């Protein structure tokens, strides 16, 4: 059996080529580039909401939500990028801290939605779901899919994770959240019920899709 | 050069044998860096040097499996995924993770009986650091609910009896015993073992 090992080792050494190690900064650079493209797409096709345009001339919006909504998904997306970099190598450790931003974002939005429902009731609150649902859903899903395809091509297929399901989920969460943050620059639907049921559902749906599709693809 | 050695003892099919594996983590790291740059001679030296370590690593964990096959598969994976090694990082955590991943993958596919050692001594015997040896155990325990993992950890790692665990955690001794039994069965199921007996104590 040692002979077969020697043969294998000789064979592997004979076909060795220089390899470019996975470098986290490249993923961050690619993510930044992708996010800029997504923002350009949203601003060109849909336009940026007036409250955010006002920021350029020093006008602070009356409410924080126009800023907080994109920031919420941006924070979620960026922490997902960080998690993806941590889990892409065999020795990447699974830590609860990776999920804390997810729980925090979920807790914050669900809490606000519950308060809104308690104050206004279901009938009044759900009236705020009318508007831009198709655009929101299709932008997050299609944009997320494009991002995930690029992420697969340049990063995930080179990864070797010990946690394929979590890495697949985090990759989906990353792409959908960043696309949601770009779309939120346009969207003026600020009701918590909208953020949870429309944005949240689109991001959750995409994350679920990525998890199911990716867990096998990431096996090695 | 920081030379480390590991004396490996394994009880396999009633036969006790020992293997002496001598290696240098720093040397491996240096060879791996050169290999990533395309140095075939360094790469060959690295693979030749890794082979006995991998053999001993798998022999102590796999009962009744083809360890030689597993070593070959690990060497192939190392080759295919060599770009995932971060040249700035330590080499041992990386190669230990690759070996552990291939072991679990092999056991799942082959439905082999695997020797699950919930003790850090096993990892230490492989020359892993205390932290890495602890991680090998915690990777398995993390698959279980927190309380169940704690019971098993207290029994298998800290060496407490069922009654001592019950006293410390304020739980019923019978419940602790059942929880440990079920937890160990679940761990075995997770790595592909079917219908194997689990000793509670």
């Amino acid at each position: 059996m040692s002979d077969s090992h020697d043969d294998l080792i000789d064979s592997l050494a004979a076909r060795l080529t220089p390899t470019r190690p996975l470098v986290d900064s490249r993923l961050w650079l690619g993510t930044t580039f992708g996010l800029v493209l997504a923002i350009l797409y949203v601003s060109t096709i849909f336009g940026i909401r007036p409250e955010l345009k006002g920021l350029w001339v020093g006008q602070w919006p009356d409410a924080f939500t126009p800023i907080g909504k994109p920031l919420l998904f941006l924070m979620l997306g960026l922490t997902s990028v960080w998690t993806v970099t941590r889990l892409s190598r065999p020795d990447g450790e699974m830590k609860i801290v990776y999920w804390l931003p997810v729980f925090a974002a979920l807790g914050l939005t669900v809490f606000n939605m519950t308060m809104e429902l308690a104050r206004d009731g279901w009938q009044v609150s759900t009236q705020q779901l009318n508007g831009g649902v198709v655009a929101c859903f299709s932008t997050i899903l299609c944009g997320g899919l494009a991002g995930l395809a690029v992420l697969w091509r340049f990063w995930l297929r080179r990864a070797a994770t010990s946690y394929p399901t979590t890495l697949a989920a985090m990759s989906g969460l990353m792409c959908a959240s960043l696309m949601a943050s770009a779309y939120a620059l346009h969207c003026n639907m600020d009701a918590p019920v909208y953020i949870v049921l429309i944005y949240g559902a689109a991001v959750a749906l995409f994350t679920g899709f990525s998890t199911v599709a990716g867990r096998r693809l990431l096996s090695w | 050069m920081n030379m480390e050695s590991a004396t490996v003892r394994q009880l396999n099919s009633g036969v006790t044998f020992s293997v002496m594996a001598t290696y240098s983590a720093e040397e491996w790291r240096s060879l791996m860096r050169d290999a990533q740059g395309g140095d075939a001679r360094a790469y060959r030296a690295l693979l030749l040097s890794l082979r006995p370590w991998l053999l001993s690593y798998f022999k102590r964990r796999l009962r009744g499996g083809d360890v030689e096959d597993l070593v070959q598969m690990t060497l192939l994976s190392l080759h295919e995924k060599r770009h995932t090694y971060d040249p700035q990082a330590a080499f041992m955590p990386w190669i230990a993770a690759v070996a552990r991943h291939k072991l679990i993958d092999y056991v799942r596919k082959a439905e082999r009986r695997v020797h699950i050692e919930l003790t850090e001594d096993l990892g230490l015997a492989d020359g892993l650091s205390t932290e890495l040896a602890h991680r090998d155990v915690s990777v398995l325990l993390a698959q279980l609910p927190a309380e169940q993992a704690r019971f098993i950890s207290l029994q298998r790692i800290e060496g407490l009896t069922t009654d001592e665990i019950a006293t410390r955690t304020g739980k019923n001794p019978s419940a602790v015993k059942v929880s440990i039994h079920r937890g160990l069965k679940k761990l075995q199921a997770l790595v592909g073992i079917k219908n194997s007996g689990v000793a509670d104590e």
Side-chain angles (χ1 to χ4, degrees), chain B residues 17 31 38 41 44 54 62-63 84 93 100-101 107 109-110 130 137-138 152 194:
Chain B
F17 58 92
L31 290 172
R41 186 174 294 181
R44 189 171 187 281
L54 287 170
L62 193 67
R63 189 179 295 162
T84 62
R100 182 175 57 241
H101 184 82
V107 171
K109 285 178 180 165
T130 308
V137 175
S138 54
I152 293 175
K194 291 180 178 175

Side-chain angles (χ1 to χ4, degrees), chain A residues 134-165:
Chain A
V134 174
C136 178
F137 247 81
S138 57
T139 304
I140 292 174
L141 296 183
C142 295
L145 195 60
L148 192 61
V150 175
L151 183 66
W152 169 259
R153 170 67 180 78
F154 291 103
W155 186 271
L156 291 177
R157 73 187 184 125
R158 300 187 76 216
T161 180
S162 294
Y163 304 93
T165 305

Side-chain angles (χ1 to χ4, degrees), chain A residues 5-6 10 19 158-159, chain B residues 36 44 51 68 81-83:
Chain A
H5 277 172
D6 286 342
D10 287 342
T19 186
R158 300 187 76 216
Chain B
Q36 283 184 325
R44 189 171 187 281
R51 188 174 61 186
E68 302 281 355
K81 297 294 183 182
R82 63 190 186 280
H83 55 268

